[in-house]
Amino acid sequence: DSGVTQTPKHLITATGQRVTLRCSPRSGDLSVYWYQQSLDQGLQFLIQYYNGEERAKGNILERFSAQQFPDLHSELNLSSLELGDSALYFCASSVERQGTQYFGPGTRLLVL
Amino acid sequence: KNQVEQSPQSLIILEGKNCTLQCNYTVSPFSNLRWYKQDTGRGPVSLTIMTFSENTKSNGRYTATLDADTKQSSLHITASQLSDSASYICVVSLYSGAGSYQLTFGKGTKLSVIP
């Protein structure tokens, strides 16, 4: 158990819908990262927040957005969902901006 | 273009044998290199982190090496166990300015350890 929690574990929705994935970092960690992993694909970095501020942006679509709240939990919002958005979405946290990242168990999203 | 290439794509070895996984990168400016282990359907787990000045780092039966001149890293697993079956991912961090860092992920090497 990494100490990072993600909810929900599984999510099934239809194309065109909007969903929100939630992540609670380890206690004391200020950095939160979001990743997407499609079937048989490598991890794709989406976005990083540090203490509430966006710090780095990867291959995140405009239909996706994220934020980190004052209590340091983070949410990833996915809108106008397409079939290709079906994937595992991981959240990770670290103490610093560059520290070891601890990954959560992931949210498996299926878009039908 | 910043890239991380891993080889082989997949590997099957007998339990108890050693193996070495390779990672070549073109990321610049380099900050650090990490190796992760990811079991199927689970989140990756950090094995090692190495900065520019470190040549080798061990974590139990896992030993990572780094040659910053040739931009190559390897992960050596000794006395493999069935539980080592997983994907091993090489990740390179680069400094992107203004206190920000970007991570570039390799596609991973899928290791299968068989009895």
Side-chain angles (χ1 to χ4, degrees):
Chain A
D1 184 2
S2 66
V4 178
T5 60
Q6 289 186 249
T7 57
K9 282 189 179 176
H10 303 276
L11 197 50
I12 302 175
T13 188
T15 55
Q17 295 298 305
R18 172 190 168 96
V19 297
T20 297
L21 312 184
R22 183 187 167 103
C23 168
S24 292
R26 294 187 325 152
S27 177
D29 284 1
L30 298 178
S31 250
V32 170
Y33 311 76
W34 285 99
Y35 297 91
Q36 178 192 57
Q37 187 173 39
S38 303
L39 191 63
D40 293 332
Q41 294 293 313
L43 279 163
Q44 295 288 325
F45 167 66
L46 295 178
I47 198 164
Q48 177 198 1
Y49 281 84
Y50 178 78
N51 204 20
E53 291 185 5
E54 183 183 304
R55 272 298 177 186
K57 220 167 186 176
N59 301 320
I60 188 166
L61 300 172
E62 285 191 10
R63 300 183 285 109
F64 296 180
S65 65
Q67 55 183 325
Q68 186 179 28
F69 295 87
D71 67 352
L72 301 178
H73 91 271
S74 178
E75 292 181 354
L76 179 67
N77 300 297
L78 315 176
S79 60
S80 303
L81 285 168
E82 302 174 359
L83 295 178
D85 297 328
S86 296
L88 260 172
Y89 290 85
F90 287 106
C91 166
S93 73
S94 66
V95 174
E96 313 148 339
R97 288 173 294 194
Q98 265 278 79
T100 297
Q101 293 183 30
Y102 296 88
F103 282 76
T107 291
R108 188 175 292 279
L109 173 67
L110 180 60
V111 182
L112 300 175
Chain B
K1 183 181 177 182
N2 293 315
Q3 285 188 312
V4 176
E5 302 285 343
Q6 289 189 245
S7 61
Q9 240 181 348
S10 61
L11 183 62
I12 301 174
I13 62 172
L14 290 174
E15 186 180 9
K17 296 296 185 183
N18 303 335
C19 67
T20 300
L21 314 179
Q22 300 290 344
C23 173
N24 297 334
Y25 62 93
T26 58
V27 173
S28 182
F30 170 87
S31 177
N32 61 58
L33 185 144
R34 312 157 187 229
W35 282 94
Y36 284 90
K37 176 187 178 188
Q38 184 178 23
D39 293 314
T40 301
R42 311 278 305 260
V45 174
S46 179
L47 295 175
T48 61
I49 297 181
M50 287 185 293
T51 61
F52 183 90
S53 59
E54 295 175 294
N55 300 119
T56 184
K57 189 164 263 189
S58 292
N59 178 359
R61 295 179 296 102
Y62 302 102
T63 299
T65 64
L66 173 63
D67 186 332
D69 291 331
T70 61
K71 297 188 177 179
Q72 295 179 326
S73 176
S74 64
L75 181 69
H76 187 72
I77 305 174
T78 57
S80 61
Q81 300 176 358
L82 298 179
S83 59
D84 292 331
S85 296
S87 285
Y88 291 84
I89 304 168
C90 175
V91 184
V92 181
S93 173
L94 68 89
Y95 181 64
S96 54
S100 296
Y101 296 84
Q102 289 275 8
L103 297 177
T104 304
F105 285 74
K107 292 189 175 178
T109 292
K110 188 166 185 176
L111 174 66
S112 299
V113 181
I114 59 175

